[in-house]
Amino acid sequence: MNIYLVNTPFQLYNSLNFSEELGKNNLNVLLLLCRNEKNLHQVRNSLALTKRFRFVINLSFLMFKPTNIGDEITKKIGFFFCKLIFFMCSITSNIIIGDAHYSKMIRLVQGSIPKEIILLDDGFLTLTYDTAKIAYALKVSLKKITLFTVFKYNLGHVKVLNNSNLFFKTHYSPESLERNPYFVGQPVVELGLISCQAYIDILDKCLHISESSKLTYICHRGESESKLKTLKDSFGECVTFVNLQYSIEFALLDSFKNSIVWFGLYSTALFWVKSVFEENVTVIAVDVTNDVRDEKLKATLKEIYREMVKIDISIIK
């Protein structure tokens, strides 16, 4: 049995890629541990596009922030019983973890006795994984851990399985490409990383570089309505704003058309689009390393842009 733990649409997507690698004759159980309603909504929408999981169990209500003391106690009791049941089910099973940084996900797995633990590709967050610390937190040997990723690792002490995006490549039906460029939105203003004016300047730069009269802006679920309104007021009819029901990976499997040109900052979606469609698309990322103050984030961004360059994503400043 394979037990998958996910909390975002992208983790769900890579669960399907891993499941496709294993083949269809496996009992797949999916546990949803979404941190908020927006994540849960997109994950549920995406699940409607696949029948790969035999059982889907939604434990997200235990992950949400408690509203009062009574709610907090109820959640703690519920989490304890879930952990107990999970321990019994995990024996002789493979556990596939979507987010190795998520403490509640790690706590649920802690103390279990699985055959193997697979750390799913979680986009650029995967680059920040310290497998030794993760193994210590899970209380398992490093020999039991496999990293499933698109990044070309040679860790030596941990098995690495290449994520070839097999689920998408198996189910995607190519069609004509959209001529208008896309910009992948990110909640960097909401997180206080850059100012709203700097973000407007970046979007304006991409619009001019594209030499197109129109640009399609793909909204991120973490972006605020106030920022999006400011962007709409600033660009008028030059920019069309799109709220997808799914993450980009699932949207392209449904009815959302691919574009020949993609812009953005450091979104995993940019890396994913280029790695899947290769020379059929042009991907341009705006380097915001010098715009952020946090030194740790600066180092992470430098590594992200290095990985982008490796697959021929153009970096501009």
Side-chain angles (χ1 to χ4, degrees), residues 167-199:
F167 173 79
F168 184 87
K169 292 176 179 178
T170 303
H171 295 85
Y172 179 67
S173 300
E175 55 184 47
S176 60
L177 297 179
E178 176 65 46
R179 305 303 298 180
N180 285 341
Y182 291 167
F183 185 97
V184 181
Q186 283 185 258
V188 289
V189 175
E190 290 79 356
L191 293 171
L193 301 180
I194 64 174
S195 69
C196 191
Q197 185 56 53
Y199 196 79

Side-chain angles (χ1 to χ4, degrees), residues 8-14 16 38-47 49 167-168 184 218-221 242-256 262 267-269 272-273:
T8 68
F10 190 67
Q11 292 167 25
L12 173 64
Y13 166 75
N14 280 318
L16 293 165
K38 287 184 177 180
N39 277 8
L40 180 58
H41 178 70
Q42 277 202 342
V43 167
R44 279 175 164 167
N45 285 342
S46 303
L47 275 171
L49 300 177
F167 173 79
F168 184 87
V184 181
I218 302 173
C219 303
H220 188 280
R221 60 185 176 275
V242 176
N243 281 293
L244 299 176
Q245 293 187 59
Y246 322 105
S247 62
I248 289 171
E249 303 79 25
F250 286 106
L252 288 172
L253 283 173
D254 189 25
S255 58
F256 189 61
W262 292 72
S267 170
T268 293
W272 176 82
V273 165

Side-chain angles (χ1 to χ4, degrees), residues 77-288:
I77 293 171
F79 189 86
F80 171 79
F81 280 106
C82 286
K83 186 173 173 63
L84 188 62
I85 295 168
F86 184 85
F87 172 79
M88 292 185 289
C89 293
S90 68
I91 299 172
T92 73
S93 297
N94 295 316
I95 298 175
I96 300 94
I97 298 175
D99 184 355
H101 285 312
Y102 189 20
S103 60
K104 288 186 178 179
M105 197 174 282
I106 295 297
R107 278 167 47 209
L108 187 63
V109 178
Q110 259 176 357
S112 57
I113 315 173
K115 284 197 300 184
E116 191 172 7
I117 290 178
I118 294 89
L119 304 180
L120 281 181
D121 214 329
D122 196 17
F124 287 130
L125 285 175
T126 309
L127 296 174
T128 65
Y129 279 179
D130 183 328
T131 49
K133 284 185 178 179
I134 293 168
Y136 179 79
L138 292 170
K139 300 184 168 118
V140 298
S141 165
L142 271 172
K143 294 179 181 179
K144 276 197 170 186
I145 291 181
T146 297
L147 187 59
F148 179 66
T149 179
V150 295
F151 300 112
K152 308 303 179 187
Y153 276 115
N154 184 17
L155 298 177
H157 56 282
V158 171
K159 289 178 285 184
V160 178
L161 179 63
N162 178 49
N163 177 6
S164 62
N165 291 291
L166 188 58
F167 173 79
F168 184 87
K169 292 176 179 178
T170 303
H171 295 85
Y172 179 67
S173 300
E175 55 184 47
S176 60
L177 297 179
E178 176 65 46
R179 305 303 298 180
N180 285 341
Y182 291 167
F183 185 97
V184 181
Q186 283 185 258
V188 289
V189 175
E190 290 79 356
L191 293 171
L193 301 180
I194 64 174
S195 69
C196 191
Q197 185 56 53
Y199 196 79
I200 290 171
D201 293 342
I202 288 169
L203 193 54
D204 187 56
K205 180 190 293 185
C206 294
L207 187 59
H208 281 87
I209 290 173
S210 71
E211 298 182 346
S212 173
S213 59
K214 290 207 171 193
L215 182 146
T216 298
Y217 185 99
I218 302 173
C219 303
H220 188 280
R221 60 185 176 275
E223 291 184 281
S224 67
E225 289 297 327
S226 60
K227 186 190 82 176
L228 293 174
K229 183 179 183 306
T230 301
L231 296 180
K232 290 173 185 176
D233 292 341
S234 300
F235 291 96
E237 295 183 0
C238 292
V239 178
T240 301
F241 292 81
V242 176
N243 281 293
L244 299 176
Q245 293 187 59
Y246 322 105
S247 62
I248 289 171
E249 303 79 25
F250 286 106
L252 288 172
L253 283 173
D254 189 25
S255 58
F256 189 61
K257 287 184 72 172
N258 192 7
S259 173
I260 57 172
V261 181
W262 292 72
F263 288 96
L265 305 183
Y266 55 91
S267 170
T268 293
L270 298 178
F271 190 93
W272 176 82
V273 165
K274 188 63 178 177
S275 62
V276 170
F277 296 105
E278 299 176 341
E279 70 277 358
N280 294 315
V281 297
T282 298
V283 178
I284 301 170
V286 182
D287 188 341
V288 293

